[in-house]
Amino acid sequence: MGAPSRWALPGLVVFGLLAGCTGSSDRKKEEGQDAALNAPSVSFSASPSQVESGESTTLVWSSSDAVSCSASGGWSGEFDPDGSVVTGAITASTTFTLTCHGDGGSSTSQVSV
């Protein structure tokens, strides 16, 4: 157990124990990362990856260390870091681009159908 501590707030006195708690920043320092933020990573695919003209495909993605994702190329919009969407009819070779954004930067992945 930690040492007793006392905090004074206007009109209120709070007693508590300071335990050896560590935040995520402390854990990263312990792991040798100097609290550096990780850039997002993203996995992005189309199923099926080949279609006939006029058919659609399902785009599927998952990411880590991302808070949002944005689409460009053959589609557009803002998306959650993990998800899927069925495209409209594809009539020519199309490249779909997904960029996921996080506190440590951005990561882009593409899939062509």
Side-chain angles (χ1 to χ4, degrees):
M1 298 294 296
S5 60
R6 179 178 165 184
W7 298 277
L9 301 174
L12 181 65
V13 175
V14 179
F15 287 89
L17 292 176
L18 291 177
C21 296
T22 59
S24 61
S25 176
D26 291 335
R27 278 194 301 276
K28 288 182 179 181
K29 287 179 183 175
E30 290 171 6
E31 296 169 0
Q33 296 179 8
D34 292 329
L37 298 173
N38 294 324
S41 63
V42 60
S43 173
F44 185 37
S45 63
S47 180
S49 59
Q50 295 181 337
V51 297
E52 296 294 324
S53 180
E55 294 181 339
S56 62
T57 188
T58 301
L59 303 174
V60 180
W61 66 94
S62 62
S63 62
S64 61
D65 298 315
V67 295
S68 67
C69 295
S70 56
S72 60
W75 63 330
S76 63
E78 297 294 319
F79 296 93
D80 288 334
D82 300 292
S84 65
V85 67
V86 176
T87 67
I90 298 172
T91 58
S93 180
T94 305
T95 299
F96 298 91
T97 303
L98 183 70
T99 303
C100 292
H101 314 277
D103 293 334
S106 297
S107 180
T108 299
S109 184
Q110 293 182 323
V111 63
S112 293
V113 179

